[in-house]
Amino acid sequence: MPTPTLSMEIGKLMASVALLQQQLMEIKQQVDTLNTNLKREFVLRSEIAPIKNLIGIIVATTGTALVMALLNLILK
């Protein structure tokens, strides 16, 4: 049979475990909320990505055209 001190320590341990479980649930809820926000942000970024790629292509094409025009002027 457990001694009163052992019973008290087991009670404290069980209370600590219950508190940890509650804290873990709160952390899980916060992580779920953060994941939801990140998914929204990722969708927005993925929607912007094609526009960014298009701007990059325009810049590269413009740069190439300028270089070709300069080469034509220099070589002629």
Side-chain angles (χ1 to χ4, degrees):
M1 178 175 347
T3 62
T5 306
L6 184 59
S7 295
M8 195 165 76
E9 291 301 318
I10 290 173
K12 287 180 185 177
L13 183 60
M14 290 175 68
S16 295
V17 168
L19 181 63
L20 283 174
Q21 286 177 333
Q22 180 182 358
Q23 289 174 342
L24 284 174
M25 279 301 250
E26 290 172 4
I27 290 171
K28 184 183 180 305
Q29 289 172 348
Q30 290 173 355
V31 168
D32 288 344
T33 302
L34 180 63
N35 282 339
T36 302
N37 292 338
L38 288 176
K39 285 179 186 174
R40 285 189 204 137
E41 203 172 309
F42 179 74
V43 169
L44 291 176
R45 287 183 182 170
S46 67
E47 291 171 354
I48 292 173
I51 296 169
K52 229 173 133 181
N53 290 338
L54 184 61
I55 291 172
I57 291 169
I58 292 170
V59 168
T61 305
T62 305
T64 303
L66 287 172
V67 168
M68 294 301 288
L70 286 173
L71 283 175
N72 275 338
L73 288 174
I74 293 171
L75 297 175
K76 286 188 176 183

